[in-house]
Amino acid sequence: MTAELPPPVAELRGVRRTYVMGSEELHAIDGVDLVFRRGEYWSIMGPSGSGKSTMLNLLGCLDRPTEGTYLLGGEDTGLLDDDALSELRSRRLGFIFQSYNLIPQLDVLDNILVPVLYQSEPPSDAEERAKHLAERVGLGDRMGHRPKELSGGQMQRVAIARALVNDPDLILADEATGNLDSQTGLEILDLFDELHGEGKTLIFVTHESHVAARAERILNMGDGKVVDIVEKQVEVTT
């Protein structure tokens, strides 16, 4: 008997993203069909210009397809206006960027709380959850510090906590360990492994093969197309 597949979190159907540059057309994403299911852990790899960053922008609703359909949590994003798309993004997605994208004037706790500003939730509930997440990522004693008082690894931990504060369906990371030393990078990857073990759905872009190898599936891209998908072999014991 075949096990039932988890439900899709994000689905691309015939998606293209074309940019017009003078008289030339650049097909950054060229006819992609993909399904990302709940609880899966993906990495996206490819050379510069392969389309991996554009793919992440489309999945994160930071860009829209030129053609095709993108379903996020079963909702057709192409039918939403900008305000509705922003609301869907804040509710269903968590972002982790290479450059952290923290607000310099805010302390750790308030940076974690930024996505909650778009939600109608009692502030006390959100603050309690943010404090718990700060503790979880090892910053319980740094909640009153501003980004300039933190190391790169600590800033990335703030970004991870911020990505989790709304309990998103999908966590997207763009070169999340790219600015970190090797030891701190491994600690961040261990945290991703923990999140995956708890059932979170993760997709991250990387150019480092040892980072990509932490994922269950490696999506290799080239010229805006899916080159192949490498799945980790899981041993089954009886």
Side-chain angles (χ1 to χ4, degrees):
M1 184 175 179
T2 304
E4 185 175 344
L5 292 172
V9 172
E11 187 171 357
L12 303 171
R13 299 176 179 173
V15 165
R16 288 182 165 83
R17 183 61 176 100
T18 303
Y19 299 97
V20 178
M21 305 177 71
S23 60
E24 300 291 323
E25 287 190 346
L26 173 64
H27 302 290
I29 298 293
D30 192 7
V32 169
D33 297 281
L34 281 170
V35 178
F36 301 93
R37 299 186 179 276
R38 188 173 302 281
E40 292 181 341
Y41 188 177
W42 288 74
S43 62
I44 302 176
M45 295 193 75
S48 179
S50 62
K52 58 185 186 295
S53 294
T54 302
M55 173 70 76
L56 203 70
N57 287 340
L58 290 172
L59 291 170
C61 299
L62 300 175
D63 199 359
R64 293 179 184 260
T66 306
E67 297 178 38
T69 301
Y70 174 38
L71 301 175
L72 178 59
E75 296 186 61
D76 186 345
T77 60
L79 302 178
L80 304 177
D81 62 23
D82 288 344
D83 288 341
L85 193 63
S86 294
E87 192 278 331
L88 179 68
R89 185 168 58 233
S90 69
R91 177 165 42 90
R92 292 193 177 275
L93 298 173
F95 292 91
I96 304 167
F97 300 96
Q98 180 179 5
S99 56
Y100 321 127
N101 286 13
L102 303 181
I103 299 174
Q105 296 82 3
L106 300 182
D107 62 23
V108 165
L109 190 61
D110 285 339
N111 264 290
I112 294 172
L113 282 166
V114 165
V116 179
L117 299 175
Y118 300 95
Q119 306 297 322
S120 56
E121 179 183 6
S124 59
D125 292 351
E127 184 170 328
E128 193 61 35
R129 192 166 64 254
K131 288 179 178 177
H132 170 74
L133 286 167
E135 295 277 358
R136 162 110 196 243
V137 300
L139 296 174
D141 61 343
R142 296 278 182 163
M143 284 190 262
H145 289 64
R146 294 186 179 184
K148 68 180 180 180
E149 301 172 293
L150 304 175
S151 68
Q154 288 171 332
M155 285 192 284
Q156 194 60 289
R157 289 172 186 273
V158 177
I160 292 171
R162 180 185 58 193
L164 296 172
V165 73
N166 278 337
D167 192 24
D169 296 333
L170 178 60
I171 298 168
L172 302 170
D174 186 9
E175 299 283 5
T177 61
N179 285 337
L180 306 177
D181 63 78
S182 57
Q183 180 57 42
T184 305
L186 288 174
E187 291 171 2
I188 296 299
L189 291 174
D190 287 343
L191 186 52
F192 285 167
D193 288 346
E194 288 179 23
L195 295 171
H196 174 235
E198 294 167 6
K200 292 293 184 185
T201 310
L202 296 98
I203 304 173
F204 64 85
V205 162
T206 182
H207 67 278
E208 298 177 287
S209 57
H210 75 279
V211 173
R214 303 288 283 256
E216 292 176 310
R217 294 172 176 82
I218 302 174
L219 168 62
N220 289 299
M221 297 194 65
D223 297 325
K225 299 178 183 291
V226 174
V227 175
D228 62 21
I229 297 172
V230 179
E231 296 197 30
K232 216 180 247 185
Q233 296 299 312
V234 179
E235 291 185 12
V236 179
T237 57
T238 57

